[in-house]
């Protein structure tokens, strides 16, 4: 029993250590809370008020449901201490609910705390004695906290004594008592508390709360930007933040938030090591790991024991990334009622264990990136990663290639949602011809989007792999190979690697011009002169003219592209702004420096407004203005 006012003295040096508690008030004798109050506790939103409201109702029941490590038990601990301090006549009973044996131990602890007659008899039915005491409507009030009640069989399965009822039947609905449950199992929560209206879903922390927790763990944060980056990298998960803070503290002054971030960004294996490193947590049940990856892997083991196919579905989910639509997950083999039902059951189990969340429309699933990392780490530990990669790699490439559009502005919303999948597919080069061609197109579109977003390293990797694959499959002179080559060169120019970009395109300008003229004329005929694809083909041809020093021909096309883009797409459309910048460069090459500077200044103002001051295109335009003004 923990007390804020008691003094704990351990007398050692005799055959058995003896505990004496002095100064403990009578009211805390009615509390069996096994954890001390957390001085770093962050009161998140109004969750404690919601718990109090529901537990104050007659026969009130409430469940805190969420991923392992999001802070369910911490909320319960704080609520238990507040209740014990505020209501001295209310009994507060804490029961570890991970196994049937632990629940039965909890009932025995309650029986001892209230000194139930007959509890020590050899054949005493302690759960029944406790049930009868809790059911009594005498002048006594109580709350039972079932912590870590994750396994439905513990409460609704057959017990060790066949003559007894299920453990859930020993939790009375008494008007003078209430029940608080912490669980990662939504189905069990529903059964224990009598409906979803009595469930409070606990998610990750708000950024402000996450920063406050980190500050309470580490002291005043000297670098606010690094602290924000760290809690964002840890996806605002309470246990992950506490774990990182403990790691930093133990290694201080040789470690810091900034150094932890540097280590964290070194790659997946390093992240897995950091998040799998158990620093020890004072307020976790004995034997429970404080490492966030190990905490989530408990859920994986539960799923594997309950439903093997759901375990496989979990890996599909982690391979698809952080946002996955139903179409992306659905395998071509899902084509009849039986397999449809199996799929739905599997997804329901993942949602039930809070590993996956679903959108209101029901067709989009999300999984935290750290949960994906935990899944991959677990599969490696089980020796099954390659098995799952081999099974689901073709499905991943096929689905995402069919769904991911070209990277132009009109598709940005879709690209943003699906881009994590493209990043996962980068290293999944197929060996089959058609599938490899689809993969190369996917990387071309992904590289296109990444380049426009200013993520040049990612864009370069995708563009190079797309070019290499298309060159091997389609040949050097194919239009699609040249498109990948042009994208690769564009990214290199974005990174300031002018010589490499020029070397990449050397000797291809004439071939590129022929193909680009053909594409442009075909686009005009089939799509119209003002269609975005036609404008893109015109801009590509203008770029080829510019690289050949044919500035007059480039200017003519660029003026046409810019004016048409303004009329068709709008003056602030990113493609319009790109055409302005291109024309400014051409004018500068022609010696029209004042006109070029004025146009580039207009472009800077618009890019700051549309893309933001930190976007690479904005910064590049600012640098150009500075160079031309000097």
């Amino acid at each position: 029993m923990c007390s804020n006012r008691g003094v704990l003295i351990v007398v050692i040096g005799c055959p058995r250590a003896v505990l004496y508690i002095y100064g403990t008030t009578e009211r805390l004798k009615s509390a069996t809370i096994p954890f001390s109050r957390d001085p770093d506790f962050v009161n998140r939103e109004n969750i404690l008020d919601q718990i109090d409201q529901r537990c104050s109702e007659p026969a009130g029941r409430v469940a805190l449901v969420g991923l392992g490590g999001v802070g369910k038990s911490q909320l319960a601990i704080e609520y238990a201490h507040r209740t014990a301090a505020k209501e001295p006549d209310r009994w507060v009973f804490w029961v570890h609910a991970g196994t049937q044996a632990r629940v039965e131990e909890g009932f025995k602890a309650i029986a001892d705390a209230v000194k139930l007659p007959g509890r020590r008899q050899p054949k005493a039915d302690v759960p029944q004695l406790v049930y009868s005491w809790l059911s009594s409507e005498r002048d006594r009030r109580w709350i039972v906290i079932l912590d870590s009640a994750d396994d439905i069989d513990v409460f609704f399965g057959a017990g060790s004594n066949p003559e007894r009822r299920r453990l859930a039947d020993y939790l009375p609905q008494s008007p003078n008592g209430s029940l608080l449950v912490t669980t990662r199992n939504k189905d069990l929560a529903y059964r224990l508390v009598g409906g979803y209206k009595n469930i409070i879903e606990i998610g990750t922390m708000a950024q402000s709360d996450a920063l406050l927790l980190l500050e309470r763990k580490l002291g005043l944060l000297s670098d606010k930007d690094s602290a924000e980056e760290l809690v964002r990298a840890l996806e605002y998960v309470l246990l992950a933040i506490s774990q990182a803070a403990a790691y930093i503290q133990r290694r201080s002054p040789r470690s810091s938030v900034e150094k932890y971030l540097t280590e964290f960004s070194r790659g997946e294996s390093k992240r897995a090591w950091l998040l799998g490193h158990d620093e020890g947590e004072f307020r976790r049940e004995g034997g429970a790991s404080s490492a966030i990856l190990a905490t989530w892997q408990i859920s994986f083991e539960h799923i594997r024991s309950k439903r093997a196919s759901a375990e496989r579905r979990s890996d599909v989910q982690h391979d698809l990334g952080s946002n996955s639509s139903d179409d992306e997950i659905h395998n071509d083999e899902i084509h009849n009622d039986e397999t449809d039902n199996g799929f739905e059951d599997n997804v329901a189990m993942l949602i039930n264990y809070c590993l996956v969340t679903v959108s209101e429309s029901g067709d989009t699933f999300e999984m935290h990136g750290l949960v994906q990392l935990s899944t991959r780490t677990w599969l490696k530990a089980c020796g099954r990663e390659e098995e799952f990669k081999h099974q689901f790699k073709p499905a991943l490439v096929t689905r995402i290639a069919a769904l991911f559009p070209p990277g132009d502005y009109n598709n940005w919303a879709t690209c943003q949602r699906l881009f994590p999948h493209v990043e996962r597919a980068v290293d999944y080069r197929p060996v089959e011809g058609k599938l490899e061609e689809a993969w190369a197109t996917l990387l071309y579109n992904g590289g296109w989007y990444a380049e426009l977003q200013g993520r040049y390293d990612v864009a370069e990797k995708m563009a190079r792999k797309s070019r290499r694959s298309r060159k091997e499959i389609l040949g050097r002179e194919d239009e699609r190979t040249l498109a990948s080559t042009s994208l690769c060169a564009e990214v290199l120019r974005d990174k300031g690697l002018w010589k490499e970009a020029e070397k990449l395109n050397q000797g291809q300008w004439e071939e590129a011009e022929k193909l680009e003229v053909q594409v442009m004329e075909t686009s005009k005929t089939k799509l119209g002169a003002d269609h975005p694809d036609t404008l893109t083909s015109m801009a590509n041809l203008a770029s080829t003219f510019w690289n050949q020093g044919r500035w007059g021909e480039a200017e003519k096309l660029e003026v046409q592209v810019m004016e048409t883009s303004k009329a068709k797409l709008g003056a602030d459309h990113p493609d319009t702004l790109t055409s302005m910048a291109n024309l400014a460069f051409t004018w500068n090459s022609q010696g029209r420096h004042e006109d070029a500077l004025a146009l580039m200044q207009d472009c800077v103002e618009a890019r700051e407004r549309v893309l933001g001051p930190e976007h690479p295109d904005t910064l590049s335009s600012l640098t150009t203005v500075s160079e031309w003004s000097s």
Side-chain angles (χ1 to χ4, degrees), residues 8-155:
L8 176 64
I9 300 178
V10 182
V11 181
I12 303 178
C14 52
R16 181 178 297 173
V18 182
L19 297 179
Y20 296 97
I21 300 180
Y22 292 104
T24 305
T25 61
E26 181 67 25
R27 71 181 180 191
L28 287 183
K29 288 182 181 179
S30 62
T32 62
I33 311 166
F35 305 108
S36 63
R37 204 163 185 173
D38 185 359
D40 299 329
F41 177 79
V42 175
N43 190 4
R44 300 161 60 181
E45 302 173 349
N46 63 342
I47 296 174
L48 289 176
D49 292 337
Q50 293 181 55
I51 297 171
D52 188 57
Q53 179 183 353
R54 299 185 193 195
C55 286
S56 298
E57 298 170 355
R61 292 192 173 198
V62 62
L64 307 182
V65 179
L67 267 174
V70 295
K72 303 181 297 296
S73 295
Q74 283 70 19
L75 286 162
I77 292 169
E78 178 64 19
Y79 179 73
H81 279 286
R82 289 190 183 191
T83 301
K86 184 175 67 173
E87 302 180 52
D89 296 328
R90 189 176 185 183
W91 287 89
V92 180
F93 302 119
W94 189 283
V95 177
H96 292 294
T99 65
Q100 289 184 341
R102 294 305 305 272
V103 175
E104 290 176 0
E105 286 176 16
F107 279 122
K108 290 177 182 178
I110 295 173
D112 288 337
V114 301
K115 298 180 173 55
L116 289 179
R119 67 188 183 280
R120 294 178 180 170
Q121 294 297 323
K123 295 185 178 181
D125 188 346
V126 175
Q128 181 60 46
L129 292 174
V130 171
Y131 174 83
S132 298
W133 187 90
L134 294 175
S135 299
S136 172
E137 296 186 15
R138 294 178 183 176
D139 188 18
R140 65 170 69 104
R141 298 179 66 241
W142 53 266
I143 177 172
V144 172
I145 299 171
L146 300 176
D147 184 42
S148 300
D150 300 325
D151 190 346
I152 202 165
D153 290 338
V154 168
F155 290 92

Side-chain angles (χ1 to χ4, degrees), residues 198-421:
N198 294 323
I199 289 176
I200 301 174
E201 296 200 28
I202 309 299
T204 55
M205 306 181 83
Q207 179 174 283
S208 57
D209 291 337
L211 287 171
L212 179 58
L213 175 65
L214 187 64
E215 187 170 51
R216 288 183 176 176
K217 295 287 185 185
L218 296 178
L220 187 64
L221 301 173
S222 57
D223 187 340
K224 184 75 176 294
D225 291 340
S226 293
E228 288 181 356
E229 188 178 348
L230 176 59
V231 296
R232 183 166 55 250
L234 297 174
E235 300 197 23
Y236 311 108
V237 175
L238 184 146
L239 183 57
I241 296 169
S242 298
Q243 182 182 345
Y247 180 93
I248 294 168
Q249 278 183 316
R250 284 199 178 185
R251 289 156 182 79
S252 179
R254 291 177 57 82
S255 186
S256 64
V257 170
E258 296 80 6
K259 289 181 179 178
Y260 188 95
L261 266 174
T262 300
E263 288 188 73
F264 197 80
S265 8
R266 283 181 181 168
E268 183 167 298
S269 59
K270 187 62 176 180
R271 287 195 293 275
W273 185 86
L274 288 169
L275 295 175
H277 193 73
D278 192 342
E279 291 291 335
E281 170 58 44
F282 186 58
R283 291 170 189 83
R284 290 183 71 79
E285 183 186 358
S289 174
S290 67
I292 190 64
L293 295 195
T295 297
W296 287 333
Q297 287 168 11
I298 292 172
S299 295
F300 303 157
E301 293 294 346
H302 271 301
I303 290 174
R304 180 161 67 174
S305 66
K306 303 295 182 186
R307 192 177 187 89
S309 55
E311 171 201 337
R312 292 193 292 273
R313 183 61 57 191
S314 177
D315 191 70
V316 175
Q317 183 65 44
H318 100 68
D319 262 345
L320 285 175
S322 59
N323 297 282
S324 304
S325 76
D326 186 61
D327 285 341
E328 292 160 359
I329 292 180
H330 248 86
N331 192 291
D332 288 332
E333 296 174 358
I334 300 175
H335 54 76
N336 58 43
D337 290 341
E338 182 179 350
T339 50
D340 281 346
N341 291 337
F343 171 81
E344 293 299 337
D345 288 344
N346 293 340
V347 171
M349 179 168 283
L350 295 174
I351 294 172
N352 183 49
Y353 275 90
C354 303
L355 294 170
V356 171
T357 58
V358 62
S359 66
E360 290 185 4
S361 62
D363 61 357
T364 302
F365 306 111
E366 293 187 6
M367 176 184 278
H368 287 292
L370 295 186
V371 177
Q372 297 173 44
L373 173 62
S374 181
T375 309
R376 292 191 291 272
T377 303
W378 180 65
L379 287 170
K380 285 180 182 178
C382 296
R384 304 180 67 188
E385 186 183 33
E386 290 304 318
E387 170 194 341
F388 281 103
K389 278 186 177 181
H390 178 75
Q391 184 175 357
F392 294 111
K393 181 168 64 174
L396 171 67
V397 172
T398 301
R399 294 295 182 188
I400 302 306
L403 290 165
F404 195 85
D408 61 47
Y409 178 73
N410 293 331
N411 296 325
W412 279 9
T414 302
C415 290
Q416 181 182 23
R417 181 172 63 87
L418 297 176
F419 192 69
H421 312 335

Side-chain angles (χ1 to χ4, degrees), residues 417-464:
R417 181 172 63 87
L418 297 176
F419 192 69
H421 312 335
V422 185
E423 291 185 284
R424 288 287 296 150
V426 167
D427 298 320
Y428 284 177
R429 181 176 180 175
V431 293
E432 301 90 342
K434 289 185 178 180
L435 192 56
E436 184 176 0
E437 189 174 336
W439 177 77
T441 299
L442 173 63
L443 295 194
Y444 173 74
N445 288 337
W448 181 353
Y449 171 73
E451 192 262 341
L452 292 176
Q453 294 297 305
R455 299 180 59 182
Y456 298 138
D457 288 340
V458 175
E460 181 185 356
K461 182 178 182 180
M462 291 182 178
R464 284 187 182 278

